[in-house]
Amino acid sequence: MKTETTPEKAAETPSEFAQGAKDSVPIALGYLAVSFSVGIMAANGGFGLLQASVMSMTNMTSAGEFAGIQVIAFGGALAELALTQLIINLRYALMSLSLSQKLSGEVTLWQRFVVAAVNTDEIFALAVKRAKSLTFRYMLGLEVFPVAGWTAGTFLGAFSSTLMPESVSRTMSVLLYGMFIAIVVPEARRARPILVVSLLAVVLSCLFHWAPGLKEVSFGIAVIVCTVAASSVGAVLFPLSDTKQGDGE
Amino acid sequence: MRIWLGIATMSLVTYLIRAVPLTLFRRKIENRAVRSFLAYVPYACLSAMTVPAIFFATDSLAETSVAFGVAFLLALRGKGLVAVAVCATAAAFAVSLLA
């Protein structure tokens, strides 16, 4: 049995579930704020309150939901929608794969299906940071508050967008883009490969918006092509070093 | 109905992406090219979704340009997610009041 070196004395070790729940509180609060903008975006895209909330509860991903809202709002085909989700959320496959290595051997198959539902970027980050192997109870504790926060935030965003004056809800459309910028820019500044990949994606995306012929391509497909092309170029020009395990998140 | 069908599609695809590797595969990805590709996906995807779309998020180019500029500068200075987003939105709203 390893003793944990936490600041507070481990006079009484909290249960695995309680520890997970405690660890997840900052994430849950952040989710409450971020998903607010997803809710607004959904409402602007024609989603009802229940639709926006159910979408968030069952998807738990900002970029994927955002793209999904756009594809649905623009009347894209279901296949296009599915493909968009597949590409944008493909990184979760990598995280799930990595997480599967850290789960305790006692976690059953059925429990793995539960854990999988909420393997977000942030929860994954917390899970891999934990020094012990991961129990089902810990993972469950880690997931409850973030799901509640993400769902509630979406509901509140969608709800308040119906109450806000048009000028406010209209300008709020830039909120989620602001968050995306806040994710990409510091990393692009830190790591040149990310800068190159991001700029390339922007250039391609602009081509899909303005270039003759290309601008007929729908939003979802354009995002997929830009993402796959820019990431592929990045993988060829700047392969990760063998020691690093996915520096991306 | 279309929206519900869309939500169901999104949920199913996203869940399968997470569940299949977690339940079926137990080995680490060794392929360096695949790992590198997946590491760049979030940034490529977010960038492609943001530019140029942010400039058409409202129907005023002045509002969105200012929002983009504010977000970019604050992000460059390492401000947090929520701070960047809220300031960009406030800036867009301020511009809309001037117009």
Side-chain angles (χ1 to χ4, degrees), chain A residues 18-73:
Chain A
Q19 186 60 51
K22 193 179 153 205
D23 290 348
S24 78
V25 167
I27 288 181
L29 292 177
Y31 277 6
L32 194 62
V34 175
S35 62
F36 192 84
S37 60
V38 174
I40 290 170
M41 201 63 97
N44 289 349
F47 284 55
L49 284 183
L50 186 63
Q51 289 172 327
S53 309
V54 168
M55 173 187 67
S56 271
M57 194 163 68
T58 56
N59 279 267
M60 295 297 297
T61 160
S62 58
E65 288 181 33
F66 170 80
I69 292 165
Q70 299 297 309
V71 173
I72 291 173

Side-chain angles (χ1 to χ4, degrees), chain B residues 3-42:
Chain B
I3 291 181
W4 280 120
L5 205 58
I7 292 170
T9 306
M10 290 166 64
S11 307
L12 182 69
V13 173
T14 305
Y15 180 69
L16 287 179
I17 291 169
R18 285 173 169 146
V20 168
L22 198 56
T23 51
L24 286 190
F25 302 101
R26 304 283 176 102
R27 292 190 314 118
K28 280 210 169 79
I29 292 184
E30 301 289 350
N31 187 306
R32 199 170 156 203
V34 174
R35 281 198 297 121
S36 305
F37 173 82
L38 288 172
Y40 293 125
V41 160

Side-chain angles (χ1 to χ4, degrees), chain A residues 14 87 204:
Chain A
I87 296 294
L204 291 173

Side-chain angles (χ1 to χ4, degrees), chain A residues 46-47 51 55 58-60 63 65-67 72 75-76 78 81-82 85-86 88-89 91-94 96-97 100-101 109 112-113 116-117 119-120 167-168 170-175 177-187 189 193-194 197-198 201-202 205 209-210 223 226-228 230-232 234-235 238-240 242 244 248-249, chain B residues 1-7 9-15 17-30 32-60 63-64 67-68 71-72 75-82 84-86 88-89 92-94 96-97:
Chain A
F47 284 55
Q51 289 172 327
M55 173 187 67
T58 56
N59 279 267
M60 295 297 297
E65 288 181 33
F66 170 80
I72 291 173
L78 279 186
L81 184 62
Q85 298 299 307
L86 179 67
I88 291 175
N89 293 333
R91 67 184 189 283
Y92 293 126
L94 183 69
S96 280
L97 207 56
S100 76
Q101 322 280 315
L109 184 67
R112 280 171 180 260
F113 278 115
N119 188 19
T120 67
S167 63
V168 178
R170 189 166 50 89
T171 49
M172 277 230 170
S173 305
V174 301
L175 193 65
Y177 292 115
M179 286 177 188
F180 292 167
I181 291 171
I183 292 172
V184 173
V185 169
E187 289 302 304
R189 189 187 184 187
I194 294 176
V197 168
S198 303
V202 164
S205 160
H209 199 272
W210 283 294
V223 167
C226 295
T227 302
V228 170
S231 304
S232 302
F238 316 104
L240 296 180
D242 280 328
K244 269 197 284 183
E249 298 300 319
Chain B
M1 187 59 221
R2 238 193 65 77
I3 291 181
W4 280 120
L5 205 58
I7 292 170
T9 306
M10 290 166 64
S11 307
L12 182 69
V13 173
T14 305
Y15 180 69
I17 291 169
R18 285 173 169 146
V20 168
L22 198 56
T23 51
L24 286 190
F25 302 101
R26 304 283 176 102
R27 292 190 314 118
K28 280 210 169 79
I29 292 184
E30 301 289 350
R32 199 170 156 203
V34 174
R35 281 198 297 121
S36 305
F37 173 82
L38 288 172
Y40 293 125
V41 160
Y43 303 104
C45 166
L46 293 180
S47 300
M49 286 201 299
T50 304
V51 182
I54 182 175
F55 295 102
F56 311 108
T58 77
D59 39 24
S60 152
E63 287 169 13
T64 54
F68 177 81
F72 192 84
L76 210 53
R77 307 179 97 203
K79 302 293 177 200
L81 235 66
V82 175
V84 170
V86 169
T89 308
F93 184 65
S96 79
L97 292 181

Side-chain angles (χ1 to χ4, degrees), chain A residues 62-154:
Chain A
S62 58
E65 288 181 33
F66 170 80
I69 292 165
Q70 299 297 309
V71 173
I72 291 173
F74 290 151
L78 279 186
E80 179 188 343
L81 184 62
L83 200 57
T84 315
Q85 298 299 307
L86 179 67
I87 296 294
I88 291 175
N89 293 333
L90 201 58
R91 67 184 189 283
Y92 293 126
L94 183 69
M95 293 179 202
S96 280
L97 207 56
S98 173
L99 191 65
S100 76
Q101 322 280 315
K102 265 208 86 174
L103 284 181
S104 148
E106 291 162 14
V107 180
T108 65
L109 184 67
W110 179 85
Q111 290 170 335
R112 280 171 180 260
F113 278 115
V114 176
V115 169
V118 197
N119 188 19
T120 67
D121 307 70
E122 292 78 12
I123 287 172
F124 172 73
L126 273 190
V128 294
K129 252 194 283 180
R130 184 157 168 87
K132 305 172 174 182
S133 82
L134 302 163
T135 62
F136 178 62
R137 283 176 182 283
Y138 178 77
M139 290 307 295
L140 208 56
L142 210 52
E143 293 177 348
V144 170
F145 286 142
V147 172
W150 187 253
T151 307
T154 305

